[in-house]
Amino acid sequence: MKSRPQALLFGETVKRIHCLGVGGMGMAPLAIYMAESGYEVSGQDDALRDEVRDVLLRHGVKLEPLPERCDLVAISSAIKPDHSEMAAVTASKCRLVKRGELLAEVARGKKLVAICGSHGKTTTAAMLIDALRRLDFPADYVLGALFADESVAPAACTGSDWLVAEVDESDGTIDGFNPEISLIVNLDWDHTDHYATAEAMIGTFDSLVARTTGAVLTSKECELSEQLSSETNSSKERLTFGRGGDFAGQVDSKSEGIQKLKLGGRFELKAARVRAIGEFNARNALGALATAQIMGATLCEETLASFIGVRRRQSVLSDEGGIRIIEDYAHHPNEVGSLLLSLREALAEGGRLITVFQPHRFSRTAQFKHEFVTALSPADVVFLREVYSAGESPVEGGTSTDLLAACQSAAPELAVRLVNGNADELFALLDDTVRAGDTVAFVGAGSIDEAAHEWTRRGKLKRWDAFVESVKPQLSDDTLIKREEPLANKTTMRVGGAARIYAEPASRDELQLLVKAAQAEGVEVRFLGRGSNLIIADAGVDALVISLTKPQWSEFTVTGEGQVRVGAGLRLKNLCGLAAKAGLVGFEFLEGIPGNVGGALRMNAGAMGGWMFDIVEEVELMTLDGEIRTVPKADMHVAYRCCEELLDAIAIGAVLSPSSSADTESVGRQIDVYRKKRQESQPREPSAGCIFKNPEGGSAGQLIDEAGLKGERVGGAEVSLVHGNFVVNRDKASGSDVVNLVRKVRSSILNSKGIALEPEAQLWGQRWEDVL
Ligand SMILES: Cc1cc2nc3c(=O)[nH]c(=O)nc-3n(C[C@H](O)[C@H](O)[C@H](O)COP(=O)(O)OP(=O)(O)OC[C@H]3O[C@@H](n4cnc5c(N)ncnc54)[C@H](O)[C@@H]3O)c2cc1C
């Protein structure tokens, strides 16, 4: 939300701010926060990554050199005094502040929730922010990373008094913060360039505790946190979280990336499900949930069950072809060790853990060389990259060659190899080493993520290209197969990106060939009807998308028994028209539903009191193994907007039964009645039909209308003024505009009415559970 900028920053009127090193994960979210708060913000960076560039531009941060008229320059700690741009800054006579000083200034006058400490503050902050967002608890925030879901901004200005921010201790700017709540996730001696001893670091946190006005939360399991001064003033609460803390919790069960925590102590909840694995993430979640409760949010068991995750924090870049690729920011030996242990625990049977590690800073590598040897030992194979200097000059004993020597002498059984050549050398080694069942972890806080993404991208491209090349020679000229086919114009919502592979098979044999080959190659398959209940994410869909649009799939035959055999590709509009022409009654309710038979079967489409499966006798489908089966209606599991048998199979045809017969004119008259009714109650703009299923005994549209959400907008997407359950593409909306608007509507209804609306429209390229 854009609001008017504060009149004064550092005692001066500020309109224009320039950020040096704007691409860093400390600076980029703060630049976005300042832009969202109404300042004119620009910035530059020597090594701006594409995803950061996109998010900055999307939130109004201009990328340009220091402008002529500028009131304030903020610099990242990575910018050294001899940086080429510093001369221009000095010459401009602008006030120069560190990134942390600007955040501290902004936090003045706010109820600051400072998430700080040594390991896991970004994930903990992200969990807290995500929890508050889902609960619609208004709070500004500045994260120190990007969310894994790019549609959620790394900073937001809501106008609330609360500000949740990660506060970094590495450069001393922590001394400028006066939090309402301090959540100190844990303490471990790090940043040895700034803190000569562990005591010096504890002293800094002692002072933060003393300046905190409300509650201080520390980890019950962290020894150094125990050493913090217990000095309190009367208004301050000192609390702990962890197994036996004031906010107590422990892992009760784990399954498929979700762990269930049993909660006790001051928690108002008995249990919480958290989508993040590992003991350390359980502790991060306890800290985040405890803080949310202290802030006054009403938690529920599912608040973190769909936690969207943070980029570079256990991010799964790919899980295809039996190979799981993870990237993680871990750079302190304790972080690296916990990460590798948790990945080892989750390995597939017979799988190996291959780790590509890029140490971060020479000083840290020299200081903790031996600890790194232990931390790396859960891996089966380690490829060691050269140290990422983060602006430091080499320190004796702190290079990757030194770390390799330490590994060889202390853990000779560990297969470690130094790969400090270019990325291609690393990729060739990985291609040779990695096999199905392995997990490959790219670990480090420097530039290792670039290698992780590039190797993943190349692997996917290779697999998709190989797939197309292998099936193409076996397909007839009538079958269409393409790479990177845009999907927006194949849907009624008209948003989103491309299908990595797109095919229109011309026959059953060729459909069979495609699904079998996809199954064999581990390529995901999706079936596209007329795209009238679909929202496509902006990044597109990493899958083979199959559409039955060739005329061969549009059969309409009246059988000797008076039934109708239809192809899955037949448009519902044509089904109605052809049935009317044949004098068959019972299909009129389908008039105006802009899908085809396949989509209507999968969705059990319904209108005007009729349902698709009211008229179905049997469905012919093809499984993902390529087996063709005819399933009678009695054997199918059908519910409101769902047919279970078609969740993982493609409908290719069906036999339908009319209820009776009549003359064409009278069937046509009924169709006209329904058409008129629909025209009066549904919007004309592009949409994906009803976004939410109706809750039991109610109407989603009515709830949205009563909540005053008609006309609500995000970007070019708008809640229809005609029908509250339709989101329309009013003005060149993007996929993320639509998704963000759906989220906004859902959380508003959850908070005002306590009803969790379930999406009806399908989302491709993202998962509703991740983005809502
Ligand atoms: C203006 C408007 C009005 C609408 N009114 C109604 C309404 O009154 N009632 C209603 O129920 N819906 C309505 N819808 C929603 C939509 O039209 C229906 O859900 C329709 O049945 C979807 O068909 P489709 O071919 O477009 O499927 P798509 O949107 O392409 O796909 C929807 C789902 O079906 C799957 N699918 C598609 N084809 C197959 C296949 N052959 N085999 C297996 N799975 C398949 C897809 O994978 C996807 O999961 C409306 C939509 C719009 C835009």
Side-chain angles (χ1 to χ4, degrees):
M1 185 182 101
K2 295 251 179 216
S3 54
R4 286 168 66 82
Q6 265 172 259
L8 298 176
L9 279 179
F10 302 100
E12 288 168 19
T13 304
V14 170
K15 279 193 181 151
R16 184 84 205 245
I17 303 171
H18 188 69
C19 304
L20 266 190
V22 75
M25 279 305 101
M27 192 64 106
L30 181 58
I32 289 171
Y33 183 73
M34 301 311 288
E36 290 281 308
S37 304
Y39 294 94
E40 281 178 55
V41 183
S42 56
Q44 63 195 113
D45 199 294
D46 298 337
L48 200 55
R49 292 160 193 229
D50 288 348
E51 75 262 25
V52 183
R53 178 194 314 275
D54 289 351
V55 75
L56 286 167
L57 291 175
R58 210 163 49 236
H59 292 280
V61 177
K62 285 190 194 153
L63 297 172
E64 59 185 17
L66 180 67
E68 243 174 58
R69 284 182 28 256
C70 180
D71 304 311
L72 186 72
V73 175
I75 55 163
S76 124
S77 52
I79 303 289
K80 302 294 165 214
D82 59 354
H83 189 277
S84 55
E85 280 304 314
M86 287 303 285
V89 172
T90 313
S92 75
K93 301 208 166 62
C94 274
R95 183 179 194 124
L96 182 66
V97 294
K98 290 183 186 171
R99 176 250 172 211
E101 291 169 335
L102 177 56
L103 180 59
E105 177 70 8
V106 171
R108 250 177 274 285
K110 290 262 185 197
K111 283 154 67 178
L112 172 68
V113 180
I115 316 293
C116 50
S118 301
H119 314 302
K121 52 182 174 283
T122 301
T123 304
T124 308
M127 284 177 169
L128 174 59
I129 292 162
D130 195 25
L132 297 174
R133 195 176 63 90
R134 286 174 197 275
L135 297 166
D136 219 12
F137 185 100
D140 287 11
Y141 65 83
V142 181
L143 186 67
L146 299 183
F147 279 105
D149 171 9
E150 62 179 28
S151 67
V152 184
C157 175
T158 63
S160 153
D161 286 348
W162 289 106
L163 169 63
V164 176
E166 246 181 281
V167 171
D168 179 30
E169 78 282 12
S170 68
D171 64 357
T173 51
I174 189 171
D175 295 336
F177 290 87
N178 300 295
E180 166 89 12
I181 299 174
S182 290
L183 167 58
I184 302 174
V185 288
N186 50 50
L187 292 178
D188 203 354
W189 182 35
D190 195 10
H191 305 295
T192 49
D193 53 334
H194 193 82
Y195 300 104
T197 59
E199 290 68 36
M201 186 195 71
I202 291 175
T204 292
F205 280 94
D206 265 339
S207 312
L208 182 80
V209 169
R211 292 194 306 277
T212 303
T213 50
V216 175
L217 264 162
T218 55
S219 164
K220 185 75 181 161
E221 273 97 45
C222 169
E223 271 176 36
L224 284 189
S225 300
E226 297 271 294
Q227 291 179 29
L228 285 173
S229 137
S230 53
E231 177 199 325
T232 53
N233 64 36
S234 55
S235 61
K236 184 161 28 193
E237 270 205 292
R238 283 292 301 272
L239 300 161
T240 55
F241 66 95
R243 275 166 206 267
D246 297 305
F247 287 89
Q250 50 190 305
V251 180
D252 194 28
S253 60
K254 303 175 191 175
S255 86
E256 295 184 4
I258 294 197
Q259 36 189 353
K260 185 167 180 182
L261 309 182
K262 201 170 149 200
L263 305 180
R266 292 202 191 191
F267 272 118
E268 285 160 9
L269 276 183
K270 296 268 171 289
R273 291 184 347 112
V274 179
R275 188 159 156 251
I277 60 162
E279 197 52 51
F280 54 97
N281 273 327
R283 278 198 298 276
N284 291 340
L286 289 179
L289 291 169
T291 307
Q293 184 179 312
I294 294 168
M295 289 171 75
T298 308
L299 301 167
C300 68
E301 187 171 327
E302 297 296 295
T303 300
L304 288 177
S306 304
F307 171 52
I308 47 176
V310 182
R311 276 207 205 171
R312 301 188 71 177
R313 305 300 188 285
Q314 286 194 14
S315 309
V316 181
L317 301 186
S318 170
D319 202 356
E320 291 166 22
I323 298 167
R324 171 168 263 236
I325 308 176
I326 307 269
E327 69 162 328
D328 197 281
Y329 196 70
H331 51 285
H332 185 279
N334 286 348
E335 296 164 351
V336 175
S338 331
L339 170 77
L340 296 191
L341 276 176
S342 71
L343 293 180
R344 166 122 239 128
E345 267 180 35
L347 275 183
E349 208 182 313
R352 299 166 307 159
L353 178 57
I354 317 276
T355 299
V356 184
F357 179 53
Q358 181 189 42
H360 183 256
R361 290 179 185 267
F362 296 109
S363 53
R364 187 182 286 117
T365 313
Q367 185 70 45
F368 298 119
K369 211 164 31 212
H370 300 294
E371 289 82 351
F372 275 124
V373 177
T374 314
L376 291 169
S377 53
D380 293 287
V381 179
V382 178
F383 293 126
L384 212 50
R385 300 291 281 162
E386 193 40 278
V387 172
Y388 183 83
S389 71
E392 265 186 4
S393 304
V395 170
E396 206 186 324
T399 66
S400 288
T401 310
D402 297 314
L403 179 52
L404 174 70
C407 289
Q408 285 167 340
S409 85
E413 69 291 351
L414 188 61
V416 190
R417 180 160 173 178
L418 187 63
V419 193
N420 50 10
N422 65 22
D424 288 335
E425 187 196 342
L426 172 68
F427 297 160
L429 269 170
L430 285 169
D431 289 344
D432 282 350
T433 311
V434 178
R435 56 177 193 235
D438 290 347
T439 291
V440 185
F442 288 81
V443 181
S447 56
I448 190 70
D449 62 317
E450 288 168 18
H453 284 264
E454 184 55 19
W455 189 64
T456 308
R457 192 183 70 84
R458 289 191 192 187
K460 288 187 172 187
L461 283 180
K462 261 195 231 161
R463 198 157 46 253
W464 293 323
D465 287 343
F467 177 85
V468 173
E469 289 316 309
S470 71
V471 295
K472 217 172 183 172
Q474 305 170 62
L475 298 170
S476 69
D477 289 349
D478 283 352
T479 287
L480 179 81
I481 183 153
K482 280 176 146 188
R483 288 270 283 113
E484 295 302 322
E485 174 71 359
L487 291 177
N489 57 5
K490 298 187 191 322
T491 68
T492 51
M493 190 64 171
R494 307 202 159 268
V495 298
R500 301 290 92 87
I501 312 170
Y502 174 79
E504 291 177 6
S507 68
R508 287 174 177 230
D509 287 350
E510 289 173 289
L511 171 64
Q512 209 162 29
L513 189 143
L514 286 165
V515 293
K516 278 183 170 176
Q519 181 84 328
E521 297 297 323
V523 172
E524 191 187 340
V525 185
R526 292 194 172 241
F527 306 117
L528 177 68
R530 297 201 56 87
S532 62
N533 216 189
L534 272 189
I535 297 161
I536 310 287
D538 294 324
V541 189
D542 288 0
L544 160 65
V545 172
I546 296 180
S547 164
L548 303 183
T549 27
K550 295 276 176 190
Q552 296 86 315
W553 302 102
S554 295
E555 180 185 359
F556 177 94
T557 312
V558 182
T559 67
E561 292 81 42
Q563 293 175 327
V564 186
R565 181 176 298 282
V566 288
L570 181 66
R571 290 177 64 177
L572 298 175
K573 184 179 179 48
N574 294 347
L575 169 59
C576 285
L578 291 165
K581 212 163 151 193
L584 301 175
V585 177
F587 305 118
E588 306 84 270
F589 71 97
L590 294 170
E591 168 61 32
I593 302 182
N596 65 20
V597 168
L601 289 168
R602 157 65 184 86
M603 299 305 297
N604 189 16
M608 318 289 165
W611 298 70
M612 186 65 187
F613 270 83
D614 292 347
I615 54 170
V616 168
E617 283 299 312
E618 61 185 34
V619 174
E620 196 178 14
L621 55 82
M622 188 183 288
T623 65
L624 294 179
D625 300 324
E627 187 197 338
I628 296 181
R629 287 166 43 195
T630 299
V631 189
K633 176 163 96 174
D635 292 348
M636 300 196 82
H637 300 84
V638 178
Y640 173 41
R641 298 292 177 265
C642 184
C643 166
E644 262 181 43
E645 281 68 22
L646 294 177
L647 292 179
D648 284 315
I650 182 164
I652 50 183
V655 174
L656 311 178
S657 269
S659 53
S660 59
S661 56
D663 59 275
T664 300
E665 285 69 32
S666 68
V667 183
R669 274 198 297 278
Q670 187 56 52
I671 289 178
D672 286 344
V673 171
Y674 287 155
R675 184 182 297 133
K676 193 157 176 284
K677 221 169 158 183
R678 195 175 273 279
Q679 279 168 355
E680 283 163 4
S681 60
Q682 288 184 355
R684 304 266 168 109
E685 299 94 338
S687 76
C690 285
I691 290 292
F692 299 106
K693 293 181 181 174
N694 286 324
E696 194 125 356
S699 147
Q702 198 180 336
L703 286 172
I704 294 166
D705 194 359
E706 284 168 9
L709 293 166
K710 276 183 167 173
E712 192 72 31
R713 276 183 86 145
V714 171
E718 182 181 277
V719 176
S720 166
L721 295 167
V722 180
H723 191 313
N725 202 12
F726 278 61
V727 164
V728 296
N729 183 347
R730 172 161 293 288
D731 182 17
K732 298 191 194 82
S734 63
S736 67
D737 289 345
V738 176
V739 166
N740 284 332
L741 184 55
V742 172
R743 178 194 301 127
K744 198 168 175 183
V745 170
R746 186 176 180 271
S747 65
S748 176
I749 298 297
L750 184 63
N751 286 295
S752 60
K753 314 261 180 181
I755 297 171
L757 291 174
E758 189 189 334
E760 170 179 326
Q762 308 292 302
L763 176 63
W764 285 7
Q766 288 176 305
R767 303 185 327 156
W768 280 127
E769 51 270 47
D770 293 348
V771 297
L772 288 185

